[in-house]
Amino acid sequence: MAHNYQRAKLRGKSFKGQDLTGADFSYSDIRGADFTGAFLKGANFSHAKAGLQRRWVIATVIIAFLLSAISGLLSATGGSLIGCILANGNRENTYVAAVTLTVLFVFFLITMRQGVSAAFGFLAVAVIWTAVAGVTWAGIVAVAWAKAGTQAGIMELATVVAVVVTGAIAAIAAATGVVLIAGAAAIAGAVAGLLAVAVTVSVAGAVAGIGVVAAVKIGGSIVGSLAGAIAVLTIFLAADVGCRALFEDERQIWVRNVALDFVSARGTNFQGSHLTDANFTQARLKNANFNKSILTRTCWFRAKMMNWADVRTTYLEDKNLRQLLVTKDLQGKTFDGWDLQGINLQGANLKDASFITAKLNESNLQGADLSRANLTGAQLDKTDLRGATLTGTYIGNWCITPDTKLDGVHCDYIFLYVPTKDNPNPHRLPANWDAMFKDGEFTQLMTPLRNLSKI
């Protein structure tokens, strides 16, 4: 007997590894519930509310604010250190400051164009090469001065090395500030929306402002100016990175993944669960974790906030496909060659869509409207087309099998081929353009084709 949890309050409950086949969780509150490894075939989660419990939402936002405050301080500190180097005014310090600013500028540029991970790769290489060059040069000079017995030269060398180290620390501090602010903004946004992103960035700006004021009082106008400039650039860049991560920019996927890992740790957890034929119609899935779940024919119609869910390693990673599964409106769209195996498009509007050579094996197309769709070469093994409308569909070389379900298909006529200039007659069936299939006639016509796969 299927379990009935309809409209139940299941916050924080554990169903880990349980057999919940056909269970009814409709309209239930499953925030923070753990379904890790559970068997949920045919379970009903329609209108359910997943995600973080309120106390964890508050705690997560507070942590994001704290991270943002720390990163704001780091960004101001990085600028202050560069200002302190430059304020000395000697030639060596000017060179070090120029190199540090150049490295930071390139880091910011790479972050915008290629993402944080690529930028940190560059920064690591830059710091390593700078350290190697600095140590090599210092060793050579130290040997030369030691032979000359110049104590003052050795002290000067130590000062130069200290300045180089300070420059490296300044670059790392500012770069770390970018990542922490961006990560904090992404975490806050994933939990509480764009307003939380704005507040998180504002916290970083406020703390950075305090650091800049302190830099002016301690080091003067040059130190304060550089601290302010670096802090402003860092905060604006981090805000951009954080927002791009939230909206699934591939360049900032690393930041998004870190934020998802942090947030989904306390959210509704479906990781590794079996959700074949499960129903999430109009469910709220913010901060839910579907990583490594089995989602064959799972229904996502009008599911809410899926862009804030962790769907890595599933077909839902493709945001375009995810949007189509939520709306089920694919009219006139092209999916030639797409891998659409095991998706649920029950009742979908697929009029005039093109699925040439697409993989639709084990998919649920019950009641879908495929009028005038192009299924040339499509793979339809174990596909459920019961009650679908196939009037005017192009079915040339489609791959149906005895396991393809065609019962109750609505079809007045079909075409074997798409018309071309060389072949304007696409081989209509019935061949008489005034004739229509009778009820059940189309399914009978396809039976020999389905049985060919047995040979």
Side-chain angles (χ1 to χ4, degrees):
M1 182 176 178
H3 298 80
N4 186 1
Y5 297 102
Q6 189 179 40
R7 299 185 184 277
K9 294 181 179 179
L10 304 172
R11 294 189 292 268
K13 298 292 184 180
S14 177
F15 299 93
K16 190 173 182 179
Q18 295 185 25
D19 186 351
L20 298 166
T21 301
D24 187 359
F25 293 92
S26 59
Y27 295 93
S28 61
D29 186 347
I30 55 173
R31 287 178 291 178
D34 187 4
F35 294 93
T36 304
F39 196 80
L40 294 158
K41 184 176 181 179
N44 182 10
F45 289 94
S46 61
H47 301 274
K49 189 174 184 180
L52 288 167
Q53 298 180 69
R54 183 171 297 177
R55 66 174 182 272
W56 287 112
V57 171
I58 295 172
T60 302
V61 171
I62 291 174
I63 291 172
F65 288 170
L66 290 174
L67 283 174
S68 184
I70 294 171
S71 57
L73 182 61
L74 282 174
S75 62
T77 300
S80 299
L81 290 174
I82 298 173
C84 289
I85 294 171
L86 194 60
N88 186 280
N90 63 43
R91 185 175 60 184
E92 291 81 4
N93 284 29
T94 302
Y95 289 160
V96 172
V99 170
T100 303
L101 287 171
T102 301
V103 168
L104 267 182
F105 175 77
V106 175
F107 175 85
F108 290 161
L109 192 62
I110 294 175
T111 298
M112 288 188 295
R113 295 193 173 185
Q114 298 182 27
V116 167
S117 57
F120 258 99
F122 159 77
L123 183 63
V125 172
V127 169
I128 290 171
W129 276 106
T130 301
V132 170
V135 170
T136 302
W137 174 77
I140 294 171
V141 175
V143 170
W145 281 346
K147 290 180 178 179
T150 309
Q151 186 67 32
I154 294 174
M155 294 300 295
E156 182 181 344
L157 176 62
T159 302
V160 172
V161 171
V163 171
V164 172
V165 171
T166 302
I169 292 173
I172 293 172
T176 304
V178 171
V179 177
L180 286 180
I181 297 173
I187 289 170
V191 171
L194 292 179
L195 179 60
V197 173
V199 175
T200 303
V201 174
S202 299
V203 169
V207 175
I210 295 172
V212 171
V213 172
V216 172
K217 290 183 178 180
I218 296 172
S221 58
I222 294 178
V223 176
S225 298
L226 270 174
I230 297 297
V232 169
L233 285 173
T234 298
I235 291 168
F236 273 101
L237 177 61
D240 179 71
V241 170
C243 288
R244 288 180 182 275
L246 284 174
F247 289 101
E248 303 180 72
D249 188 325
E250 289 296 325
R251 292 171 295 183
Q252 309 302 345
I253 196 65
W254 183 83
V255 176
R256 177 179 174 81
N257 287 343
V258 170
L260 286 176
D261 285 335
F262 188 89
V263 170
S264 63
R266 293 288 179 178
T268 305
N269 193 357
F270 290 99
Q271 186 170 7
S273 59
H274 295 251
L275 289 162
T276 299
D277 294 314
N279 181 11
F280 285 93
T281 298
Q282 296 193 47
R284 182 182 181 273
L285 301 176
K286 186 176 184 180
N287 307 141
N289 183 4
F290 293 97
N291 198 353
K292 298 181 180 179
S293 296
I294 297 173
L295 305 177
T296 305
R297 296 184 301 276
T298 305
C299 180
W300 308 102
F301 185 51
R302 293 184 179 176
K304 303 170 185 176
M305 300 185 177
M306 286 185 67
N307 54 320
W308 308 119
D310 186 355
V311 294
R312 288 172 290 176
T313 73
T314 73
Y315 57 73
L316 295 173
E317 276 191 296
D318 188 325
K319 60 182 178 181
N320 295 319
L321 176 58
R322 186 169 66 235
Q323 183 64 25
L324 295 173
L325 292 173
V326 170
T327 63
K328 291 192 176 181
D329 186 2
L330 287 69
Q331 182 169 352
K333 298 186 182 296
T334 299
F335 305 95
D336 297 346
W338 280 41
D339 186 350
L340 301 172
Q341 297 185 87
I343 64 171
N344 188 315
L345 290 172
Q346 184 174 0
N349 178 10
L350 309 178
K351 293 178 180 178
D352 302 300
S354 180
F355 295 96
I356 298 174
T357 69
K359 296 179 180 178
L360 287 161
N361 301 324
E362 300 186 63
S363 294
N364 184 352
L365 299 176
Q366 287 186 62
D369 190 345
L370 286 151
S371 300
R372 301 177 303 279
N374 192 341
L375 293 173
T376 302
Q379 299 180 27
L380 297 161
D381 180 35
K382 299 180 182 178
T383 303
D384 192 344
L385 287 161
R386 288 177 296 177
T389 299
L390 296 177
T391 299
T393 302
Y394 301 97
I395 63 169
N397 297 320
W398 70 346
C399 302
I400 58 175
T401 71
D403 295 317
T404 304
K405 299 176 182 178
L406 296 172
D407 301 329
V409 165
H410 304 289
C411 183
D412 294 332
Y413 57 90
I414 57 168
F415 296 103
L416 295 182
Y417 303 103
V418 178
T420 63
K421 291 182 179 179
D422 297 329
N423 182 17
N425 182 357
H427 295 278
R428 181 186 188 273
L429 295 176
N432 184 348
W433 285 73
D434 295 323
M436 302 290 178
F437 285 126
K438 297 176 182 179
D439 288 344
E441 190 175 357
F442 171 79
T443 302
Q444 293 176 5
L445 178 66
M446 292 297 110
T447 298
L449 296 177
R450 295 162 68 187
N451 290 334
L452 284 176
S453 62
K454 295 181 179 181
I455 301 175

